[in-house]
Amino acid sequence: MTEKIKRYIIFLIGLFINSFGVSFITKADLGTSPISSIPYVLSLNFPFTLGEFTIFFSLLLIFLQLIILGKNFKLEHFLQIPVSIIFGYFIDLTTFMLGTMNPELYPVKLVSLLVGCVILGFGVYMEVLADVVMLPGESFVRAIVLTWKTNFGNTKVAFDASMTIIAGILSLFFFHRLQGVREGTIIAALLVGFIARLFGRLLSFLPALLYPEAAEKNRGEALQGPENHWTIAIGRQYGCGGHEIGKKLAEKLEYKFYDGEIIEMIAGTTGYSRKFIKDREEKMTNSLLYDLVNQMYAYSPDTPAPKDEIFQAESQAIQKLAETENCIIIGRCSDYVLKDHPHCLRVFLGSSFEIRVERLMESKNLPKKEAEQEIRLEDRRRRDNYRYYTRQPWGFSPNYHLTLDTSLGTDYCVDLILQTLSHLQK
């Protein structure tokens, strides 16, 4: 089975799951998802089904894309037409399948709504995983982003809000009260993308299993370059002196040294300022909150959230450096990014909390309490960032060739790393 056929099969399965989620949420009777809110309100007042109105509304969005994009409307965009028709009939089919589902108690309705959000979130994840065609709602948002250079996340929020407001106005016009647009619409708007992002993280291994040819091709491209180039990737606890050790290694080996320099490298490719990147790289305050805030980016496989884009750009820069020169790279999950690289020495540096506090008090002239708070905060941010993007525990010794306590002395640590590198090179 070719990869393209496999992707379309996965997309159709995801489309059916998506429709099942829409029907499940609608049956909960607390409102429906924002994109389905206008078709649902219209279906309550006219002799057409939710699925049929979904088709009509999707065709309208495709027509609007044609106007917005003009010459940039590609032939592949017409695939949205059969997809919209299939999706509409899938919704009617799944609504029929759930015909006996009519929860009356509010707690049961709420549980049904949440179950529907999980189903719909998984359907969205599968569609993004297939990466063959976008549904008209998301494609319409993308058309606005491409034409007027807006931010995808903000545009998606504005689009969902507009759909909900228009559905609310239609409901008041037809029924003189809100019907079909309730608290469930807001809950679905917040949770579906969030759940899709969670599935993306938890099932991050799936693309390599489903598309081994593409994964092998990407791996081969990442490992291109002269075989005599070596990289030392150094992870480090905050305040342990990892930067200083990396610098000394670079001087002794005459390797290029990269820490903050990577920020300079990717500032141009991402379009973000150096300060914007510095404030966000290697820092994760709360992964669940991060996914919730950036849930709208789950709908577009080619438009990552800003922090995700920074991580991807840094990873590409790290792989490029490893291909082209001998270098030492500090942090930025470089050990994970280069885990399959045949000529990479992975090192993790740390030290006791007390020694790091003393070092920070001295180097930054901080009182003890402030130094302790800063170390705890930075360690937590680095740990959470590493776990979020790698799904691995930060500083876990099996992930490294060498883990060292820097309190043994900078020169001693440098010598041990040099010996290990020499051993690997043999």
Side-chain angles (χ1 to χ4, degrees), residues 76-136:
E76 64 192 45
H77 291 155
F78 284 107
L79 282 174
Q80 296 175 71
I81 296 176
V83 165
S84 300
I85 295 171
I86 294 170
F87 185 50
Y89 284 114
F90 273 173
I91 289 176
D92 284 344
L93 173 61
T94 52
T95 300
F96 174 76
M97 292 168 60
L98 296 171
T100 58
M101 176 183 166
N102 292 295
E104 296 182 2
L105 297 176
Y106 189 84
V108 179
K109 290 184 178 183
L110 188 59
V111 170
S112 300
L113 171 69
L114 295 176
V115 171
C117 287
V118 173
I119 296 171
L120 183 53
F122 186 67
V124 170
Y125 163 72
M126 290 199 67
E127 289 172 13
V128 174
L129 178 66
D131 193 18
V132 287
V133 61
M134 295 178 76
L135 289 178

Side-chain angles (χ1 to χ4, degrees), residues 39 64 71 90 107 115 122 166 236 266 307 309 313 368 393:
L64 291 176
K71 294 180 179 179
F90 273 173
V115 171
F122 186 67
I166 293 171
R236 75 282 185 232
I266 70 167
K307 192 176 184 313
E309 187 176 2
K368 184 177 181 181

